[in-house]
Amino acid sequence: MTWNLLSRRIHYWISPFLAIPILIIVCSGILLQVKKQWSWVQPPEQRGKGLVPHIDFPTLLHSIQQQDESPVAGWDDVQRIDVRPSKGMAKVTLKSGWEVQVDMQDGTILQTAMRRSDWIESIHDGSFFAGDVTKLGVFLPSAIGLAVLWVTGAWLFWLPFSARRKRKLRQVAATSTGLILAACAISEQTCAANESERWNVVFILADDLGWGELGCYGQEKLLTPNIDRLAREGMRFTQHYSGAPVCAPSRCVLMTGKHMGHAEIRGNLPAPKLFPEFTEGQYPLSRQALTIASHIREAGYATGAFGKWGLGPVGSTGDPNNQGFDLFFGYNCQSVAHSYYPASLWRNREKVPLNARPASGHPKDPTGDEPAETWRGENYAPYRMIDEAEAFLNQNAGRPFFLYLPFIEPHVAMHPPQASIDRFPSDWDREPYRGGNGYTPHPRPRAAYAAMIHDLDSYVGRILNALDRHGIADRTLVVFSSDNGTTHAGQKEKRFHVGGVDAEFFRSTADLRGFKGSVYEGGIRVPMIARLPGIIPPGTTNDTPCYFADWFPTLCELLDLKTPNGLDGVSLMPILRDPKAQLEQRPPMVWVFPEYSGQVAVRWENYKLVRRGLATKNPGDWELYNLASDRSESSNLSTTQPEKLQEGIEILLRNMSDNPVFPVRLP
């Protein structure tokens, strides 16, 4: 049992036993004080009137005046009269401190003594005031404060250790804002201490990074020391999948926790095609969409995103500020992100000028002989974005935060600075890329591609160093992954893929089949590394099949948040804690992709079902693979295992909801 859970149970079970009796005593004291002391309720000369059956007040006063030990001149010297008919007597408390007990039948003095202390008196008659109205200023605020602390859960062990404090306070605030303000005032220092103990999250997303393009995944030419460090200090997954084979829908799955059979966005549809009021951006998330950023921000986290968004134009319902991010800096539109030297970037809804002479990522009629400097501007956008991201981390290191870093490397066009290119051997590039497969040409395409991945790795290093510098690395989950596989083959320059990428030279997908835009393994199986000291065992490898939809429930469990209904993923926390553990009731992983001729895929157990060409006149046949023995998807089992084929089709049909904007039809 964790200390956090134990502290909550202490609060649940112990606090009522302590608080309720104290509140009863305090409230009874208040009632007695109102009844017996406040002059506007009962003037002194009228106290007890009608309750003393056999003697009148003058006789009572005369009897008291006969006692030498307790002289009294008149009613003003009487502080309180307690009439007790069941005992046939009255107790008179004098301002001098004496108590006189008088027989109610004949006025005989039964007992005279100095009044007992306040605390003894309060225990005796249930009053915290013992007849002194001035104590109202002490005990009434105490009673209110105790009630506030109990109701909000702010007393005992709750505030120092509960990760849900802010969310619970907001829930109580819906009905009692005053109580919350009082609780926060009382527990300000404890709240601050609790803030610093909550988990942080940094989620780093590469763009078009292949499964085999990192050193820790077997890459031999590309240098990735910082990402490899993450793998040494955390867990490396070998069967982790992106949400989709291309950018926007993959990010939609990550942000919403819903696979492509249920996701709102299932393709890279430009927003202006359906929303002419916008000039850039992709089809937006709806107002009803619940993103992981919104859910985490509701728990009191600072949220920031730096890089490429792609889920709705600025000002739309998909605007990152409308989907849970306090601060966004970077590219809103994926097409604009094809240039590393754009005219401007977005800071929330403000355009920030960047380059007076922007460089296009899609030049018209390039000759292929231009030097690399032709496609460079004054300010390199990725460097500006990592600066802003590090500034956000510095500003929020003292409070819980969710930092989302969808970097644009190594997506083409290739525009890296010359200093990064010069790190790599000149004999790599004996043939330039002339722009025949789109994007900008480059005289050294292999070195340029390696430079982009090198820069990506350096950004990871800066983030890790910032966490170390602030002393928060041991309570920050760092996740690194890619939105899909490396870019696919081109048409004109057969040696290169789109944009000049030489995937064969770098073995970008190792032995996996397919590339970006494909639901084969090479298009959707991506690197994934997670590090959280003390929770995730360092230097471990995990073969559990998992994907982007799993991260929403995973972060909910880690951050102690309620997991929303309707998510398609499962929490990875069991296998993050123990690589030998198994995910119970692993739901199928589903891809319903209308683009690139229309494709579907489903992964369950070790089997994967694929069908392509659904948007063409001649759809392809069903394909079935056993990935446990055939991760290269070279042996189609659809004819030899018809029962598994049918099982996969039924799973797919159960997990496909209609989406008129991104339709996919199964013949």
Side-chain angles (χ1 to χ4, degrees):
M1 181 185 299
T2 63
W3 180 246
N4 184 33
L5 179 59
L6 178 61
S7 68
R8 276 182 276 162
R9 290 188 177 178
I10 291 174
H11 170 259
Y12 288 150
W13 295 104
I14 301 301
S15 64
F17 290 104
L18 296 177
I20 292 176
I22 295 174
L23 288 174
I24 291 175
I25 293 173
V26 171
C27 291
S28 67
I30 294 174
L31 293 174
L32 287 170
Q33 190 68 20
V34 170
K35 176 182 177 182
K36 300 177 180 179
Q37 285 301 118
W38 289 2
S39 59
W40 58 272
V41 174
Q42 189 180 58
E45 62 272 15
Q46 297 297 320
R47 292 174 188 162
K49 184 175 183 181
L51 296 179
V52 183
H54 300 292
I55 63 172
D56 55 19
F57 278 93
T59 303
L60 181 63
L61 180 62
H62 177 74
S63 297
I64 298 172
Q65 289 175 328
Q66 302 305 310
Q67 302 299 311
D68 295 335
E69 298 89 348
S70 54
V72 57
W75 286 113
D76 290 339
D77 293 327
V78 176
Q79 187 180 63
R80 187 171 74 195
I81 297 177
D82 294 320
V83 179
R84 301 177 179 177
S86 62
K87 296 184 178 181
M89 52 87 69
K91 184 175 74 172
V92 181
T93 302
L94 307 178
K95 289 184 178 180
S96 61
W98 287 91
E99 291 180 342
V100 181
Q101 293 184 7
V102 183
D103 189 298
M104 293 196 307
Q105 299 235 1
D106 55 14
T108 305
I109 302 299
L110 301 176
Q111 183 179 350
T112 303
M114 286 296 294
R115 187 169 67 84
R116 291 167 290 185
S117 68
D118 287 355
W119 288 102
I120 295 175
E121 184 73 15
S122 66
I123 294 173
H124 176 74
D125 63 9
S127 169
F128 258 91
F129 305 101
D132 188 354
V133 72
T134 61
K135 286 184 168 51
L136 187 67
V138 175
F139 289 102
L140 187 57
S142 300
I144 295 175
L146 183 60
V148 167
L149 293 177
W150 180 44
V151 170
T152 61
W155 80 294
L156 201 58
F157 293 103
W158 183 260
L159 276 175
F161 302 105
S162 173
R164 294 185 179 179
R165 181 190 57 81
K166 279 197 171 182
R167 183 162 60 87
K168 287 188 176 292
L169 290 182
R170 271 192 294 272
Q171 291 171 351
V172 177
T175 56
S176 183
T177 303
L179 291 181
I180 301 310
L181 294 176
C184 288
I186 293 170
S187 58
E188 181 177 354
Q189 292 183 347
T190 310
C191 292
N194 187 45
E195 288 273 272
S196 66
E197 294 179 0
R198 301 169 74 182
W199 300 116
N200 306 308
V201 176
V202 175
F203 201 108
I204 304 170
L205 190 67
D207 198 341
D208 292 4
L209 181 73
W211 187 76
E213 291 181 336
L214 301 176
C216 53
Y217 280 83
Q219 176 59 225
E220 297 179 352
K221 296 183 175 71
L222 300 169
L223 305 178
T224 55
N226 295 296
I227 300 173
D228 296 347
R229 173 194 165 189
L230 266 184
R232 290 194 306 272
E233 297 175 356
M235 183 178 292
R236 180 177 65 92
F237 280 72
T238 62
Q239 296 193 69
H240 185 72
Y241 294 88
S242 65
V246 295
C247 299
S250 187
R251 295 155 198 264
C252 178
V253 174
L254 177 64
M255 285 288 108
T256 64
K258 296 185 177 183
H259 61 53
M260 288 276 283
H262 297 146
E264 291 185 352
I265 298 173
R266 304 182 189 181
N268 280 334
L269 177 64
K273 287 190 174 182
L274 296 179
F275 301 93
E277 64 268 30
F278 299 115
T279 59
E280 67 170 56
Q282 282 63 52
Y283 187 84
L285 288 169
S286 72
R287 193 177 306 277
Q288 293 74 34
L290 175 63
T291 66
I292 191 168
S294 296
H295 199 54
I296 291 178
R297 184 167 67 177
E298 278 296 308
Y301 279 65
T303 56
F306 303 84
K308 186 175 87 174
W309 178 242
L311 295 176
V314 172
S316 71
T317 56
D319 184 320
N321 293 144
N322 291 333
Q323 295 296 339
F325 287 103
D326 300 321
L327 176 61
F328 171 78
F329 184 86
Y331 298 89
N332 178 281
C333 179
Q334 294 173 175
S335 297
V336 177
H338 295 167
S339 169
Y340 285 61
Y341 295 93
S344 61
L345 293 174
W346 289 97
R347 177 181 285 111
N348 290 342
R349 293 171 182 145
E350 172 193 3
K351 267 192 175 182
V352 178
L354 200 66
N355 288 287
R357 295 183 302 104
S360 173
H362 299 275
K364 295 181 179 179
D365 303 320
T367 65
D369 295 326
E370 298 93 337
E373 289 79 7
T374 305
W375 317 112
R376 294 190 185 127
E378 310 93 74
N379 295 298
Y380 192 56
Y383 289 175
R384 180 65 179 274
M385 291 188 294
I386 185 59
D387 287 345
E388 295 274 348
E390 191 171 358
F392 174 88
L393 195 157
N394 294 337
Q395 293 166 4
N396 293 281
R399 60 174 295 191
F401 61 84
F402 172 52
L403 177 57
Y404 174 47
L405 299 174
F407 294 129
I408 61 174
E409 286 91 351
H411 194 297
V412 289
M414 294 188 287
H415 289 161
Q418 192 63 42
S420 296
I421 295 174
D422 291 341
R423 294 175 178 272
F424 300 94
S426 58
D427 60 1
W428 274 9
D429 295 289
R430 298 181 180 180
E431 180 181 341
Y433 170 61
R434 300 185 180 278
N437 296 337
Y439 298 89
T440 57
H442 204 286
R444 296 193 59 195
R446 290 174 175 172
Y449 191 68
M452 296 166 75
I453 294 179
H454 167 270
D455 284 350
L456 171 67
D457 182 78
S458 73
Y459 310 153
V460 175
R462 286 181 61 173
I463 294 300
L464 297 182
N465 291 338
L467 296 175
D468 291 338
R469 185 170 61 251
H470 290 289
I472 56 176
D474 61 344
R475 52 187 176 83
T476 301
L477 171 66
V478 180
V479 181
F480 178 90
S481 191
S482 175
D483 64 347
N484 47 253
T486 194
T487 190
H488 53 80
Q491 297 297 320
K492 294 183 179 180
E493 296 186 53
K494 300 298 183 181
R495 177 177 173 179
F496 298 105
H497 282 207
V498 169
V501 177
D502 194 339
E504 182 179 350
F505 177 77
F506 292 112
R507 296 194 73 246
S508 295
T509 59
D511 61 341
L512 302 181
R513 180 180 179 179
F515 299 96
K516 175 181 178 178
S518 166
V519 294
Y520 288 127
E521 294 291 284
I524 55 177
R525 187 184 291 205
V526 291
M528 199 278 275
I529 303 166
R531 186 194 77 171
L532 183 56
I535 300 295
I536 299 176
T540 52
T541 300
N542 200 305
D543 297 327
T544 305
C546 51
Y547 70 151
F548 276 14
D550 295 328
W551 281 104
F552 201 144
T554 299
L555 296 187
C556 286
E557 181 175 350
L558 173 68
L559 305 182
D560 203 13
L561 308 178
K562 181 181 178 181
T563 302
N565 296 325
L567 302 186
D568 291 317
V570 294
S571 174
L572 302 178
M573 286 308 300
I575 60 174
L576 288 174
R577 293 188 178 100
D578 180 7
K580 297 180 181 179
Q582 299 293 321
L583 290 180
E584 297 182 3
Q585 298 179 341
R586 159 83 267 179
M589 296 182 286
V590 176
W591 295 268
V592 178
F593 184 44
E595 299 175 343
Y596 287 72
S597 299
Q599 307 169 60
V600 293
V602 58
R603 166 84 193 256
W604 79 107
E605 300 171 356
N606 289 323
Y607 288 91
K608 182 178 174 185
L609 184 69
V610 174
R611 194 172 186 185
R612 301 179 298 156
L614 297 174
T616 68
K617 294 181 179 179
N618 299 303
D621 295 326
W622 290 106
E623 303 171 39
L624 179 68
Y625 302 100
N626 187 333
L627 297 179
S629 57
D630 179 28
R631 75 177 188 181
S632 298
E633 298 170 294
S634 58
S635 179
N636 186 356
L637 306 176
S638 60
T639 57
T640 59
Q641 297 191 27
E643 71 287 347
K644 279 295 180 183
L645 173 64
Q646 187 59 36
E647 181 182 352
I649 294 173
E650 291 174 359
I651 292 173
L652 184 62
L653 291 174
R654 287 198 303 268
N655 283 275
M656 286 181 61
S657 63
D658 291 335
N659 189 321
V661 180
F662 301 96
V664 173
R665 183 180 63 87
L666 285 177

